[in-house]
């Protein structure tokens, strides 16, 4: 039917600062996207609606077992997952503007499996899993450091190697297995959201393992120097999943390598078969069952810790009414019901 609003003008500004300034001065009636970190710059918030739209995007920690042999043990990966308080992570890193997720298929998808294994925050469970995996707590003292410095001159290469490891760790309580200390290096892109998220995760893991290192990579180098060469042990990163729940591109073994999107280099024959069958079938129910089973396998193997799905914040003046969009695939989808928007309303006089 005929739209209620006759004309819409798009104004393209140089940067976000100019755009927010235009909104504050009533020169525009909305902003296509507002990062949570910049919300405080918006002055007249009472006259605006902040629509938090579901976006097919996820943020997760991807593991690279080749870079850190300790991560090859499923129990270690699961322990690290249980050690993260996702609620606290979302509240502090993205100001609550995200949904908790438990797998590669998002909650609003027809293929979502709500019954998959959940990694709810539990330090006790994390500690138990590490113990079952053979990791024990040892305490290195100042005296141990002094002896280690002496051992650096030993002729026995094994003694020297152990001394170097002790000096690198320093005094404190650490987890050890087969003379190797558990150290996790978390890499992410250098921006405010992921920088804060990584800082919190590192804190959770430090409380568990006693030793976690952080590494921030410049945005213009993350692909070429970190992701493609798989130069990471644990990588906090985001992925756009798209409208269809088919996760083939991200998790099928054929997508392993620099040219593929299987960042964790995950390979599982049963998962491969489910992904192959799921994309070949046109029957909705058949696809749903394939993808649900796939999610169960991923949840058990835990090649990545699925954290949250960030919302897309669209800002619009309250005088504009009728927007009922809840989920979008691309930013332009915020206009999908634009024919129902309206500004002026007729006054009705009741006698």
């Amino acid at each position: 039917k005929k739209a209620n609003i006759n004309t819409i003008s798009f104004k393209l500004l140089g940067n976000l600062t100019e755009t927010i300034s235009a909104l504050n001065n009533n020169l525009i009636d909305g902003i296509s996207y507002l990062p949570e970190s910049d919300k405080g710059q918006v002055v007249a918030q009472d006259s605006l609606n902040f629509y938090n739209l579901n976006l097919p995007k996820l943020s997760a920690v991807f593991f690279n077992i080749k870079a850190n042999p300790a991560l090859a043990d499923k129990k270690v990966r699961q322990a690290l997952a249980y050690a993260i308080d996702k609620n606290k992570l979302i509240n502090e890193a993205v100001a609550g503007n995200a949904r908790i997720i438990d797998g590669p298929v998002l909650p609003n998808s027809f293929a979502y499996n709500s019954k998959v294994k959940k990694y709810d925050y539990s330090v006790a469970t994390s500690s138990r899993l590490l113990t079952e995996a053979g990791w024990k707590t040892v305490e290195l003292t100042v005296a141990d450091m002094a002896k280690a410095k002496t051992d650096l001159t030993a002729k026995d290469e094994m003694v020297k190697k152990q001394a170097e490891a002790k000096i690198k760790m320093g005094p404190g309580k650490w987890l050890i297995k087969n003379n190797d200390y558990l150290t996790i290096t978390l890499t992410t892109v250098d921006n405010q959201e992921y920088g804060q998220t990584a800082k919190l995760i590192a804190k959770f893991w430090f409380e568990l393992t006693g030793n976690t290192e952080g590494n921030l990579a410049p945005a213009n180098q993350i692909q070429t120097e970190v992701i493609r060469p798989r130069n990471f042990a644990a990588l906090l990163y985001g992925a756009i999943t798209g409208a269809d729940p088919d996760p083939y591109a991200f998790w099928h073994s054929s997508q392993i390598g620099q040219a593929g999107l299987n960042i964790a280099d995950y390979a599982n024959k049963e998962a491969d078969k489910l992904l192959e069958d799921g994309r070949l079938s046109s029957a909705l129910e058949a696809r749903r069952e394939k993808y649900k089973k796939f999610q169960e396998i991923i949840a058990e193997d835990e090649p990545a810790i699925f954290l949250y799905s960030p919302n897309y914040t669209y800002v619009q003046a309250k005088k504009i009414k009728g927007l009922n969009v809840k989920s979008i695939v691309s930013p332009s989808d915020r206009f999908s019901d634009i024919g129902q928007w309206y500004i002026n309303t007729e006054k009705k006089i009741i006698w």
Side-chain angles (χ1 to χ4, degrees):
K1 66 177 185 178
K2 184 179 179 181
N4 299 313
I5 299 175
N6 294 325
T7 305
I8 294 178
S9 299
F10 289 90
K11 297 185 178 180
L12 308 181
L13 296 116
N15 52 55
L16 185 60
T17 301
E18 290 182 20
T19 306
I20 293 176
S21 176
L23 184 69
N24 289 336
N25 288 288
N26 297 316
L27 300 177
I28 54 177
D29 295 319
I31 294 182
S32 60
Y33 171 67
L34 180 68
E36 189 64 33
S37 58
D38 295 287
K39 186 176 180 179
Q41 297 181 38
V42 178
V43 178
Q45 296 193 14
D46 291 341
S47 65
L48 300 167
N49 282 320
F50 294 82
Y51 295 101
N52 293 324
L53 311 178
N54 294 331
L55 190 68
K57 180 180 179 180
L58 61 82
S59 295
V61 175
F62 299 88
F63 292 120
N64 179 6
I65 63 176
K66 293 179 181 178
N68 187 338
L71 297 173
D73 190 329
K74 178 174 67 175
K75 288 186 176 181
V76 173
R77 300 193 299 271
Q78 292 178 342
L80 294 174
Y82 278 116
I84 297 175
D85 186 341
K86 294 181 184 179
N87 284 306
K88 185 174 182 180
L89 198 70
I90 289 174
N91 288 332
E92 295 188 13
V94 292
N97 195 15
R99 298 173 292 166
I100 288 178
I101 60 172
D102 301 294
V105 177
L106 300 181
N108 55 312
S109 169
F110 74 85
Y112 175 65
N113 188 347
S114 62
K115 297 180 180 179
V116 296
K117 184 174 184 176
K118 305 288 194 303
Y119 290 87
D120 297 326
Y121 179 55
S122 174
V123 175
T125 304
S126 294
S127 298
R128 175 179 58 80
L129 285 168
L130 288 176
T131 300
E132 291 176 359
W135 293 91
K136 298 179 180 179
T137 301
V138 295
E139 183 174 4
L140 297 179
T141 63
V142 174
D144 292 326
M145 293 299 104
K147 185 177 185 307
K149 290 179 180 178
T150 302
D151 289 342
L152 287 176
T153 60
K155 294 182 179 180
D156 190 321
E157 288 299 320
M158 183 59 70
V159 173
K160 287 177 61 177
K161 184 178 179 181
Q162 291 178 7
E164 291 170 354
K166 289 179 181 179
I167 292 172
K168 181 179 180 181
M169 298 302 293
K173 292 183 178 181
W174 314 109
L175 289 173
I176 191 171
K177 178 182 178 181
N178 299 329
N179 292 320
D180 290 324
Y181 295 93
L182 183 58
T183 301
I184 308 295
T185 300
L186 178 61
T187 301
T188 192
V189 64
D190 189 5
N191 63 33
Q192 184 169 343
E193 177 188 331
Y194 279 177
Q196 180 63 17
T197 302
K199 184 178 180 180
L200 288 168
I201 293 174
K203 183 179 179 181
F204 291 136
W205 286 354
F206 185 85
E207 292 173 356
L208 176 68
T209 70
N211 191 30
T212 302
E213 300 172 351
N215 178 35
L216 295 178
N220 62 351
Q221 298 176 12
I222 192 77
Q223 282 289 341
T224 57
E225 298 188 13
V226 177
I227 296 178
R228 289 177 185 170
R230 302 297 190 263
N231 185 26
F232 65 87
L235 174 70
L236 170 61
Y237 202 61
I240 298 292
T241 60
D244 191 276
D246 177 12
Y248 182 100
F250 300 101
W251 297 106
H252 194 275
S253 62
S254 66
Q255 306 305 303
I256 290 175
Q258 294 192 13
L261 296 176
N262 188 341
I263 297 176
D265 286 347
Y266 176 69
N268 181 299
K269 290 183 178 180
E270 186 180 359
D272 278 355
K273 185 66 168 60
L274 290 166
L275 291 175
E276 291 162 10
D277 292 346
R279 62 169 25 194
L280 289 174
S281 175
S282 60
L284 192 67
E285 189 57 36
R287 296 188 72 210
R288 178 186 287 115
E289 291 308 312
K290 299 294 182 184
Y291 291 145
K292 280 191 172 184
K293 179 61 178 176
F294 163 75
Q295 290 167 73
E296 292 172 4
I297 294 172
I298 283 285
E300 179 61 30
D301 286 348
E302 200 65 3
I305 303 175
F306 299 93
L307 301 171
Y308 60 83
S309 176
N311 294 325
Y312 181 98
T313 302
Y314 172 47
V315 182
Q316 191 181 75
K318 285 185 176 179
K319 68 178 182 180
I320 303 172
K321 300 175 175 60
L323 189 151
N324 292 304
V325 176
K326 304 298 181 184
S327 299
I328 61 174
V329 175
S330 63
S332 61
D333 289 340
R334 66 187 184 277
F335 297 120
S336 60
D337 66 348
I338 197 168
Q340 301 173 32
W341 297 6
Y342 62 94
I343 298 175
N344 299 317
T345 57
E346 294 181 357
K347 293 182 179 180
K348 185 176 182 181
I349 299 176
I350 299 177
W351 298 91

